[in-house]
PDB file of all heavy atoms in Angstrom:
ATOM      1  N   ARG A 100      24.375   9.756  -3.767  1.00 96.00           N
ATOM      2  CA  ARG A 100      23.873  10.798  -4.664  1.00 96.00           C
ATOM      3  C   ARG A 100      24.346  12.180  -4.237  1.00 96.00           C
ATOM      4  O   ARG A 100      24.722  13.015  -5.069  1.00 96.00           O
ATOM      5  CB  ARG A 100      22.340  10.775  -4.703  1.00 96.00           C
ATOM      6  CG  ARG A 100      21.768   9.861  -5.762  1.00 96.00           C
ATOM      7  CD  ARG A 100      20.309  10.165  -6.001  1.00 96.00           C
ATOM      8  NE  ARG A 100      20.092  11.526  -6.456  1.00 96.00           N
ATOM      9  CZ  ARG A 100      18.898  12.119  -6.474  1.00 96.00           C
ATOM     10  NH1 ARG A 100      17.831  11.475  -6.020  1.00 96.00           N
ATOM     11  NH2 ARG A 100      18.769  13.351  -6.914  1.00 96.00           N
ATOM     12  N   VAL A 101      24.325  12.428  -2.940  1.00 96.00           N
ATOM     13  CA  VAL A 101      24.774  13.728  -2.427  1.00 96.00           C
ATOM     14  C   VAL A 101      26.235  13.964  -2.812  1.00 96.00           C
ATOM     15  O   VAL A 101      26.606  15.065  -3.275  1.00 96.00           O
ATOM     16  CB  VAL A 101      24.581  13.796  -0.895  1.00 96.00           C
ATOM     17  CG1 VAL A 101      25.348  14.967  -0.289  1.00 96.00           C
ATOM     18  CG2 VAL A 101      23.095  13.912  -0.557  1.00 96.00           C
ATOM     19  N   GLU A 102      27.065  12.951  -2.648  1.00 96.00           N
ATOM     20  CA  GLU A 102      28.491  13.097  -2.977  1.00 96.00           C
ATOM     21  C   GLU A 102      28.698  13.191  -4.481  1.00 96.00           C
ATOM     22  O   GLU A 102      29.501  14.006  -4.956  1.00 96.00           O
ATOM     23  CB  GLU A 102      29.265  11.912  -2.395  1.00 96.00           C
ATOM     24  CG  GLU A 102      29.312  11.920  -0.867  1.00 96.00           C
ATOM     25  CD  GLU A 102      29.973  10.689  -0.277  1.00 96.00           C
ATOM     26  OE1 GLU A 102      30.289   9.742  -1.057  1.00 96.00           O
ATOM     27  OE2 GLU A 102      30.167  10.646   0.958  1.00 96.00           O
ATOM     28  N   ARG A 103      27.981  12.381  -5.240  1.00 96.00           N
ATOM     29  CA  ARG A 103      28.143  12.374  -6.694  1.00 96.00           C
ATOM     30  C   ARG A 103      27.711  13.695  -7.318  1.00 96.00           C
ATOM     31  O   ARG A 103      28.315  14.180  -8.279  1.00 96.00           O
ATOM     32  CB  ARG A 103      27.333  11.221  -7.291  1.00 96.00           C
ATOM     33  CG  ARG A 103      27.501  11.049  -8.792  1.00 96.00           C
ATOM     34  CD  ARG A 103      26.810   9.804  -9.302  1.00 96.00           C
ATOM     35  NE  ARG A 103      25.360   9.865  -9.143  1.00 96.00           N
ATOM     36  CZ  ARG A 103      24.663   9.113  -8.319  1.00 96.00           C
ATOM     37  NH1 ARG A 103      25.266   8.238  -7.529  1.00 96.00           N
ATOM     38  NH2 ARG A 103      23.337   9.229  -8.243  1.00 96.00           N
ATOM     39  N   GLU A 104      26.664  14.297  -6.773  1.00 94.00           N
ATOM     40  CA  GLU A 104      26.128  15.531  -7.340  1.00 94.00           C
ATOM     41  C   GLU A 104      26.729  16.776  -6.700  1.00 94.00           C
ATOM     42  O   GLU A 104      26.344  17.899  -7.040  1.00 94.00           O
ATOM     43  CB  GLU A 104      24.597  15.537  -7.206  1.00 94.00           C
ATOM     44  CG  GLU A 104      23.941  14.396  -7.970  1.00 94.00           C
ATOM     45  CD  GLU A 104      22.433  14.365  -7.817  1.00 94.00           C
ATOM     46  OE1 GLU A 104      21.858  15.382  -7.364  1.00 94.00           O
ATOM     47  OE2 GLU A 104      21.838  13.329  -8.157  1.00 94.00           O
ATOM     48  N   GLY A 105      27.657  16.589  -5.786  1.00 95.00           N
ATOM     49  CA  GLY A 105      28.338  17.727  -5.176  1.00 95.00           C
ATOM     50  C   GLY A 105      27.432  18.594  -4.331  1.00 95.00           C
ATOM     51  O   GLY A 105      27.634  19.816  -4.240  1.00 95.00           O
ATOM     52  N   ILE A 106      26.453  17.991  -3.689  1.00 94.00           N
ATOM     53  CA  ILE A 106      25.496  18.746  -2.874  1.00 94.00           C
ATOM     54  C   ILE A 106      26.139  19.124  -1.544  1.00 94.00           C
ATOM     55  O   ILE A 106      26.723  18.285  -0.865  1.00 94.00           O
ATOM     56  CB  ILE A 106      24.219  17.916  -2.645  1.00 94.00           C
ATOM     57  CG1 ILE A 106      23.465  17.769  -3.974  1.00 94.00           C
ATOM     58  CG2 ILE A 106      23.332  18.526  -1.580  1.00 94.00           C
ATOM     59  CD1 ILE A 106      22.298  16.810  -3.924  1.00 94.00           C
ATOM     60  N   LYS A 107      26.020  20.382  -1.179  1.00 93.00           N
ATOM     61  CA  LYS A 107      26.615  20.890   0.066  1.00 93.00           C
ATOM     62  C   LYS A 107      25.574  21.281   1.103  1.00 93.00           C
ATOM     63  O   LYS A 107      25.844  21.274   2.307  1.00 93.00           O
ATOM     64  CB  LYS A 107      27.499  22.109  -0.237  1.00 93.00           C
ATOM     65  CG  LYS A 107      28.622  21.848  -1.244  1.00 93.00           C
ATOM     66  CD  LYS A 107      29.572  20.760  -0.752  1.00 93.00           C
ATOM     67  CE  LYS A 107      30.709  20.532  -1.763  1.00 93.00           C
ATOM     68  NZ  LYS A 107      31.564  19.389  -1.335  1.00 93.00           N
ATOM     69  N   SER A 108      24.376  21.637   0.636  1.00 93.00           N
ATOM     70  CA  SER A 108      23.320  22.093   1.537  1.00 93.00           C
ATOM     71  C   SER A 108      22.611  20.906   2.175  1.00 93.00           C
ATOM     72  O   SER A 108      22.236  19.945   1.488  1.00 93.00           O
ATOM     73  CB  SER A 108      22.315  22.942   0.755  1.00 93.00           C
ATOM     74  OG  SER A 108      21.079  23.030   1.427  1.00 93.00           O
ATOM     75  N   THR A 109      22.388  20.981   3.486  1.00 94.00           N
ATOM     76  CA  THR A 109      21.661  19.906   4.164  1.00 94.00           C
ATOM     77  C   THR A 109      20.207  19.836   3.703  1.00 94.00           C
ATOM     78  O   THR A 109      19.628  18.755   3.653  1.00 94.00           O
ATOM     79  CB  THR A 109      21.700  20.102   5.696  1.00 94.00           C
ATOM     80  OG1 THR A 109      21.251  21.426   6.021  1.00 94.00           O
ATOM     81  CG2 THR A 109      23.104  19.886   6.232  1.00 94.00           C
ATOM     82  N   GLN A 110      19.616  20.974   3.347  1.00 92.00           N
ATOM     83  CA  GLN A 110      18.241  20.961   2.877  1.00 92.00           C
ATOM     84  C   GLN A 110      18.117  20.250   1.536  1.00 92.00           C
ATOM     85  O   GLN A 110      17.160  19.521   1.275  1.00 92.00           O
ATOM     86  CB  GLN A 110      17.697  22.391   2.767  1.00 92.00           C
ATOM     87  CG  GLN A 110      17.301  22.988   4.104  1.00 92.00           C
ATOM     88  CD  GLN A 110      16.233  22.165   4.808  1.00 92.00           C
ATOM     89  OE1 GLN A 110      15.101  22.071   4.335  1.00 92.00           O
ATOM     90  NE2 GLN A 110      16.582  21.545   5.934  1.00 92.00           N
ATOM     91  N   ASP A 111      19.112  20.443   0.661  1.00 93.00           N
ATOM     92  CA  ASP A 111      19.106  19.732  -0.615  1.00 93.00           C
ATOM     93  C   ASP A 111      19.358  18.246  -0.402  1.00 93.00           C
ATOM     94  O   ASP A 111      18.807  17.390  -1.101  1.00 93.00           O
ATOM     95  CB  ASP A 111      20.154  20.325  -1.559  1.00 93.00           C
ATOM     96  CG  ASP A 111      19.764  21.707  -2.071  1.00 93.00           C
ATOM     97  OD1 ASP A 111      18.584  22.080  -1.907  1.00 93.00           O
ATOM     98  OD2 ASP A 111      20.620  22.409  -2.631  1.00 93.00           O
ATOM     99  N   ALA A 112      20.186  17.908   0.573  1.00 95.00           N
ATOM    100  CA  ALA A 112      20.418  16.501   0.904  1.00 95.00           C
ATOM    101  C   ALA A 112      19.134  15.868   1.439  1.00 95.00           C
ATOM    102  O   ALA A 112      18.831  14.695   1.149  1.00 95.00           O
ATOM    103  CB  ALA A 112      21.541  16.383   1.936  1.00 95.00           C
ATOM    104  N   TYR A 113      18.384  16.640   2.204  1.00 94.00           N
ATOM    105  CA  TYR A 113      17.100  16.178   2.743  1.00 94.00           C
ATOM    106  C   TYR A 113      16.128  15.867   1.605  1.00 94.00           C
ATOM    107  O   TYR A 113      15.398  14.878   1.632  1.00 94.00           O
ATOM    108  CB  TYR A 113      16.541  17.264   3.656  1.00 94.00           C
ATOM    109  CG  TYR A 113      15.371  16.864   4.527  1.00 94.00           C
ATOM    110  CD1 TYR A 113      15.187  15.550   4.947  1.00 94.00           C
ATOM    111  CD2 TYR A 113      14.457  17.829   4.953  1.00 94.00           C
ATOM    112  CE1 TYR A 113      14.123  15.205   5.773  1.00 94.00           C
ATOM    113  CE2 TYR A 113      13.393  17.492   5.776  1.00 94.00           C
ATOM    114  CZ  TYR A 113      13.232  16.180   6.183  1.00 94.00           C
ATOM    115  OH  TYR A 113      12.175  15.837   7.002  1.00 94.00           O
ATOM    116  N   LEU A 114      16.136  16.699   0.578  1.00 93.00           N
ATOM    117  CA  LEU A 114      15.286  16.469  -0.583  1.00 93.00           C
ATOM    118  C   LEU A 114      15.693  15.184  -1.309  1.00 93.00           C
ATOM    119  O   LEU A 114      14.843  14.416  -1.765  1.00 93.00           O
ATOM    120  CB  LEU A 114      15.363  17.667  -1.535  1.00 93.00           C
ATOM    121  CG  LEU A 114      14.523  17.576  -2.818  1.00 93.00           C
ATOM    122  CD1 LEU A 114      13.052  17.379  -2.483  1.00 93.00           C
ATOM    123  CD2 LEU A 114      14.722  18.818  -3.671  1.00 93.00           C
TER     124      LEU A 114
END
Side-chain angles (χ1 to χ4, degrees):
R100 271 196 60 194
V101 166
E102 292 175 353
R103 184 173 65 248
E104 298 178 15
I106 291 172
K107 303 300 181 185
S108 160
T109 53
Q110 282 301 294
D111 289 346
Y113 192 28
L114 180 58

